[in-house]
Amino acid sequence: MAGCHTWLWRYRNYIIIVLAPLLLLPLPLIIPTPQAKCGYAIILMALYWCTECIPLAVTALLPVILFPMMGVMESGEVCIQYLKDSNMLFIGGLLVAIAVEHWNLHRRIALQVLLIVGVKPSLLMIGFMSTTAFLSMWISNTASTAMMLPIANAVLQQLCDTEANAEQRDYDLTAAKDGQENQAFEMSDTTEVYDKKIYLNDSSINIGVSPEAELRRLMREQKYTKLMKGMSLSVCYAASIGGTATLTGTTPNVIMKGQIDELFPNNGGIINFASWFGFAFPNMVLMLALSWLWLQFMFLGFNFKESFGCGAQKHSDKEGYKVIQDEHRKLGRMSFAEGCVLVIFILLVLLWFTREPGFIPGWATVLFNKDKTYVTDGTVAILMSGLFFCIPSNLPGFFRMSRDGAPTKAPTPLLTWDVVHEKMPWNILLLLGGGFALAHGSEKSGLSLWLGESLIPLQSIPPFAISILLCLLVAMFTECSSNTATTTLFLPILASMATAIEVHPLYVMFPCTIAASLAFMLPVATPPNAIAFSYGNLKVMDMAKAGFILNFLGVITINIAINTWGVAMFQLNTFPSWANVTETP
C-alpha cells in the first residue's frame, strides 16, 4: 500500500495532466454552448496553474489549442492576444532592469543608502527595507532580494564577531585586574594562601568556560540569530511590497492594465504609469511602515534606546559600518556605462510621469495623441530601452591605438542581445498573453456576461465589504499559487462582477491586484520568500507567524487607500459609462 502511495505521488503530475481534461469533459458535452466551452478551458488552465503539473508558460498557451478547436475563437484572433501594448511595456521595463543589474547600478544605490542610514538595528532594518522596496519598483523582486540579503548577512556577521571580540577583551582585562588584586592579598596574609589559591585557581579554570561567559555567548548568538531572521524577512517582504508601487514593478500590475484595456477598451487610458504611481506609492509607503513596526516588535522589541542607538557609537557599529564602506569602495568610481544607464533610467521615469499626468495635458497629448492614443507607456518604454543597444559602454576612442599598435576595437553597447536573452524571463510574456487570451475568450463567448448576471445578487452587500472579502480570498489564494496566475484568473471574473452590480471596476480590481502580491506566509509563495528562507535560518513557523499578520495589515491598508485617495483619484463612487459594456459576440 505504501508503495502505491509513493508511486501515485511520484507520478502525480502525469496523472493530473491526463485525468483533469477527461473529468471536465462532460461540461462542454452536456452543455454545448460557447460559455461552457470557454469555462472548460478556464477551469482546466486554473487546475494546471495551481498544481503546476506542466510549466506555467505552457499552460498559458492552451487557449491557442482549445479556443479554435472548440469554436470559441479563430486561431488568428487568439494568437494576436499574446503580444499587446501591455507586453511591450513589460518588455521595456525588463530591459531597463536588466541594464541596471548588468552594470551593478542597483548595488551602488543600495550601498549608498545603507551608508546614509547607518548600522543601528532598527535603522539598519529601515535602510534595508527602503532600499529593497525602491529597487524592486524598477527591477525584479527576486534580483533585489538576492542582492540585498548577502549584504545584510555580512553586516550582521561583522557586528556579531566584533561584539564577541569586545566581550573577550573585557573579560581579559577583568581577569588581569583580578589577578593583580589576588597577588596583593596573597602577600599580606600567608595563613590562608593555600585555601585561597585553590579557590582562585578553580575559579580561573572555570572562568574560561564559566556559566556567565557561556550565557553571554548564548545570548549573543540568540540575539543575532533573531536579528538575522528579522532582517531576512524584512528584505523579502519589502521586495514584494515595493513591486506594487509602479506599473512595471511586478507582473500582476501589468496584467491588470492589460485586462482593463482589453475588457473596457473605451476607458480613456485610466491606468497609466502616473496614475498607478499616484495611487500605489503612498499605499506602498504605508504598508512598508506597518511591516517595519510589526517586524521590529517581533524580532527587536521596542527598546528604542538600543535599537536606534541613542548615545555613543559602539565599536561593533563602527566595524559593521566599515563592512558597508569596504563593499562600496570595491565598486570604485561610477563608470561611463553606469552613468549612461542612470541617465536613461531617469529620463524614462520622467517621460512616463509626464506623458499623461492627468491634472495637465502631457507631452504625448500635445504632440501625438490629439485624435487617438498613438503613444502609450509601452511606446516610451521601448524607445528608451532601445537606446541601451545604441550607446557604447565606453567613451569612443577616436584614432586611439592598442598596446600592440593596432586600432582599438569599438566598445560593446550598454546591452547586447546575448545578455538580454540570458536574463529575460520569456515565460512571463507568455503568461501575460495567456491571461489576455482568456479575458478575450470570456468576452467573445458570452461567459463574462453570464457570470455578471449570476453575480447580480451581490448588489445587496456593501461594496467595501465585497472588496475586503475578495482581497482576503486573493491573498490566501496567492500563498499557494503564482501571483501571475492568480490575477490572470481572478481579474476577468471581478470585472464581470463589477459590471453586473454597477460598481466601478477599479474598486475591486485594483485592491485585488495589489493583494496578489501579499504572499508573505510560506517560503514557496514567492522567490524572495524562498531566498530569505535559505539565508536567514528561518523556520516555516517564523515566516507564517510574521506573514499572517502582515497579510491582514496589507488588506486593511489597501482598502483604506481605495476608499480615501483612490476614490478621489478615479471617481470610484460612480459607475463609469465606459464600464457599461453590453456587447455580445
Side-chain angles (χ1 to χ4, degrees), residues 134-152:
F134 174 77
L135 290 174
S136 65
M137 288 164 59
W138 316 105
I139 67 174
S140 77
N141 302 348
T142 307
S144 54
T145 306
M147 188 205 71
M148 294 300 292
L149 277 176
I151 300 173

Side-chain angles (χ1 to χ4, degrees), residues 137-210:
M137 288 164 59
W138 316 105
I139 67 174
S140 77
N141 302 348
T142 307
S144 54
T145 306
M147 188 205 71
M148 294 300 292
L149 277 176
I151 300 173
N153 195 36
V155 171
L156 291 179
Q157 188 61 55
Q158 183 61 51
L159 288 173
C160 183
D161 293 345
T162 308
E163 192 170 314
N165 293 335
E167 286 181 4
Q168 185 63 40
R169 281 196 303 272
D170 292 343
Y171 163 70
D172 291 341
L173 287 171
T174 305
K177 186 177 180 182
D178 288 345
Q180 291 175 356
E181 290 176 356
N182 290 333
Q183 287 176 6
F185 175 76
E186 189 178 47
M187 291 170 67
S188 64
D189 191 352
T190 57
T191 59
E192 298 179 10
V193 168
Y194 180 75
D195 292 338
K196 194 67 181 177
K197 281 180 73 173
I198 296 294
Y199 172 76
L200 289 170
N201 286 341
D202 288 346
S203 66
S204 66
I205 290 168
N206 291 336
I207 283 175
V209 286
S210 69

Side-chain angles (χ1 to χ4, degrees), residues 279 282-283 286 507 556-573:
F279 171 78
N283 178 70
L286 186 56
Y507 189 81
I556 292 168
T557 305
I558 294 165
N559 281 276
I560 289 172
I562 203 70
N563 285 289
T564 50
W565 64 86
V567 171
M569 285 183 66
F570 302 108
Q571 287 79 49
L572 299 181
N573 50 1

